[in-house]
Amino acid sequence: MNQTFLEHIEKIVMADQRYAADAYAFVMEALAYTQKRFGSERHVTGEELLEGIRELVVKEYGFLAVEVLHNWGVRTTEDLGHIVFNLVDHGILGKQEDDSFDSFRNGFDFTSTLGKDYRRQLTAVARRMR
């Protein structure tokens, strides 16, 4: 991460202390991950970004995914929306006219969804090992 990005994140965290700097860095990483899934650096919707976040957090943190998110102050998909729109408000991310915070409302329940995703991931690994 470059110094300018880190400086922007410091300003955002000072203005909105609900979320850790790592949460912002992770959302940016998840954005790149999501764009890579589509094969281009195109604009992604809130729903698409939530899907990318869901996949990446399980891939990177496994059964600790929920705990890591909670440690960053992120407890719901709405929190992820606040992070995204903080990044938009500070000029780090762009926004299209049809982008809305509502895309992040009731996206998925962390505990049940991420737990199922992790168990699915473990099952796939176990099958490959046989």
Side-chain angles (χ1 to χ4, degrees), residues 4-112:
T4 304
F5 175 74
L6 294 175
E7 290 169 359
H8 283 293
I9 296 307
E10 283 180 21
K11 288 178 186 174
I12 294 171
V13 170
M14 292 198 51
D16 183 351
Q17 297 180 7
R18 292 178 292 178
Y19 312 111
D22 287 340
Y24 290 93
F26 182 79
V27 166
M28 294 299 292
E29 183 182 350
L31 175 61
Y33 174 85
T34 304
Q35 289 173 324
K36 187 175 178 181
R37 283 183 57 220
F38 291 112
S40 70
E41 289 189 16
R42 72 168 180 79
H43 179 81
V44 297
T45 66
E47 293 88 354
E48 291 168 334
L49 181 55
L50 283 178
E51 181 66 19
I53 289 169
R54 186 185 62 75
E55 287 179 15
L56 188 60
V57 74
V58 170
K59 184 177 181 179
E60 288 198 3
Y61 299 106
F63 74 94
L64 293 174
V66 174
E67 185 62 33
V68 168
L69 290 169
H70 285 184
N71 188 52
W72 292 339
V74 178
R75 289 178 165 52
T76 66
T77 56
E78 287 88 351
D79 289 323
L80 294 166
H82 288 297
I83 289 169
V84 167
F85 279 91
N86 281 344
L87 291 166
V88 168
D89 292 344
H90 284 83
I92 296 171
L93 292 179
K95 175 182 177 289
Q96 292 185 349
E97 207 167 296
D98 58 341
D99 289 335
S100 166
F101 180 81
D102 288 337
S103 312
F104 295 92
R105 290 191 195 284
N106 303 314
F108 58 87
D109 175 74
F110 287 174
T111 303
S112 63

